[in-house]
Amino acid sequence: MQRLAPALREDNVPLDLISLIKTILAATKEISFRVSQAHLSGLMGSTLDENIQGEVQKQLDVVANELFKDILLESGFVKAISSEEEDTSVAGNPNGKFIVSFDPLDGSSNIEINSLIGTIFSIHNAQEDMDADDPDMFKQSGNKQVCAGYVLYGPATMLVMTTGSGTHFYVLDRTHGGFLRVERNVQVPKDTQEFAVNMSNQRFWQAPMQNYINDLLLGDTGPRGKNFNMRWIAAMVGDIHRVLTRGGLFTYPADTKDPNKPNKLRLMYEANPMSFLIEQAGGKAMTSEGRIMDIEPTDIHQRVECIMGSSNEVDACLGYYK
Ligand code: F6P
Ligand code: MN
């Protein structure tokens, strides 16, 4: 098992990016600790506020966001940050080389039940000719990410990260306080008999998704000729971690439940980083219309349909849209 920095140097990751990654991980170690102590320190439950997206903020969402934001902005490595919990981007060092988008605490409905939650991040190069406080700097496609990852606060605290040369697993070793690389070049199996979707929305999906899931449910008596299992952790970090570990199809399809919100997951700090991780592990990450990472963003908080995971199963699903 290799320590993080030597592992990244071996992968030819530039030194300034390694420094930024170390800064991000310092923040996540602190978040991991705060999460474990939340009940003891009176940090369970909601605040009285909503974020820009009209979602009730949990106390831990706010704590994680402040921690992550402060550590990044103080580091000098970033020109700006954007977060699920911030209305717009926040300026950092005008000479910072990178910009970071993040979801400080993904799956926060799992906080109260002591289930999986995590921090998701996506790093792009800063644009030199733009001001640090210009949110348009974030309008770069997922293709331009230089690094993406998440830290999962589960029974073990795990980092899953790519810098464009494979997706690797790391575990936080609390005996020395650093992350060790435990698996190199994780591969998502091409075929799967497992899917993840919030089935309670079924009646609101478009016909192709309804037909696809119906055929999965028919199992070996239906057109797919094999049985499928279903899992839903309700935290994207948890569901994608399972897909990266043993394969599967994860989808949050478009729905008509709320006409003002046809999609749920956010492009910049949920779909793009997860797409980079999945593709670097040999999987596919699509909407029903094309690759997620090809989308040219128009808004920091824009939402997108997600169909990702085992490549043959993603193709099978997309076949229903043709
Ligand atoms: O951040 C949004 C999110 O919590 C994801 O982590 C998760 O995949 C999804 O929403 C859960 O959605 P639902 O509440 O419909 O189960
Ligand atoms: Mn989230």
Side-chain angles (χ1 to χ4, degrees):
M1 276 180 280
Q2 236 180 338
R3 291 174 89 118
L4 180 97
L8 294 177
R9 283 199 295 272
E10 196 180 293
D11 290 351
N12 296 317
V13 179
L15 289 181
D16 47 6
L17 182 55
I18 295 181
S19 301
L20 171 57
I21 291 168
K22 283 181 170 170
T23 305
I24 287 175
L25 296 179
T28 61
K29 280 188 240 173
E30 184 63 24
I31 295 171
S32 161
F33 176 71
R34 300 288 186 100
V35 161
S36 71
Q37 299 292 109
H39 228 140
L40 305 174
S41 45
L43 281 178
M44 297 302 264
S46 302
T47 64
L48 297 175
D49 297 326
E50 286 183 350
N51 64 17
I52 178 90
Q53 310 173 57
E55 295 164 346
V56 176
Q57 283 179 308
K58 300 285 171 72
Q59 292 188 64
L60 270 184
D61 283 326
V62 176
V63 168
N65 184 56
E66 294 298 321
L67 260 166
F68 210 84
K69 179 175 72 172
D70 290 350
I71 291 182
L72 280 182
L73 293 180
E74 280 160 20
S75 73
F77 299 124
V78 295
K79 187 158 175 177
I81 59 103
S82 85
S83 161
E84 175 176 334
E85 307 301 338
E86 299 285 335
D87 297 0
T88 183
S89 63
V90 183
N93 175 5
N95 300 315
K97 219 180 139 195
F98 302 103
I99 55 173
V100 182
S101 306
F102 56 91
D103 179 350
L105 213 50
D106 177 60
S108 47
S109 68
N110 280 350
I111 292 170
E112 276 80 19
I113 60 168
N114 195 24
S115 188
L116 285 180
I117 47 179
T119 298
I120 311 174
F121 57 90
S122 161
I123 307 175
H124 282 88
N125 285 319
Q127 277 155 278
E128 279 174 24
D129 55 346
M130 292 181 93
D131 291 334
D133 61 359
D134 187 346
D136 284 349
M137 194 154 49
F138 285 87
K139 293 181 183 164
Q140 301 187 44
S141 74
N143 287 325
K144 294 195 175 143
Q145 291 172 104
V146 294
C147 175
Y150 59 82
V151 175
L152 186 65
Y153 310 117
T157 290
M158 283 188 79
L159 164 69
V160 176
M161 187 169 66
T162 182
T163 53
S165 52
T167 293
H168 314 296
F169 284 0
Y170 306 77
V171 171
L172 177 59
D173 177 359
R174 296 195 192 269
T175 59
H176 80 285
F179 285 89
L180 296 180
R181 178 142 76 183
V182 292
E183 273 179 68
R184 273 192 87 144
N185 290 319
V186 174
Q187 292 295 310
V188 180
K190 296 203 175 328
D191 293 295
T192 183
Q193 288 178 239
E194 197 161 67
F195 67 98
V197 68
N198 183 343
M199 282 295 296
S200 69
N201 295 327
Q202 188 176 27
R203 67 189 186 283
F204 301 107
W205 300 333
Q206 295 164 342
M209 186 56 78
Q210 301 237 15
N211 295 335
Y212 166 67
I213 297 287
N214 279 340
D215 284 352
L216 299 188
L217 296 177
L218 288 172
D220 59 8
T221 63
R224 297 302 304 280
K226 57 181 184 177
N227 292 325
F228 281 81
N229 185 30
M230 197 204 84
R231 288 285 183 269
W232 187 246
I233 292 174
M236 193 183 195
V237 276
D239 282 307
I240 294 299
H241 192 65
R242 185 188 57 256
V243 169
L244 282 166
T245 303
R246 68 175 189 218
L249 179 125
F250 169 89
T251 180
Y252 213 110
D255 65 53
T256 56
K257 199 173 175 181
D258 174 352
N260 298 316
K261 206 176 84 178
N263 294 299
K264 172 143 194 196
L265 299 177
R266 273 61 55 103
L267 177 65
M268 308 296 283
Y269 37 82
E270 291 178 326
N272 267 342
M274 294 312 198
S275 297
F276 197 14
L277 293 168
I278 294 267
E279 287 197 6
Q280 283 292 317
K284 284 196 175 179
M286 309 289 286
T287 70
S288 55
E289 288 168 358
R291 261 179 92 232
I292 289 174
M293 288 202 290
D294 285 338
I295 297 172
E296 294 294 336
T298 52
D299 185 273
I300 284 179
H301 298 295
Q302 86 190 65
R303 295 172 189 266
V304 67
E305 180 182 38
C306 289
I307 304 168
M308 52 175 76
S310 294
S311 56
N312 289 341
E313 199 51 45
V314 171
D315 287 343
C317 174
L318 295 179
Y320 286 75
Y321 287 84
K322 294 212 172 100

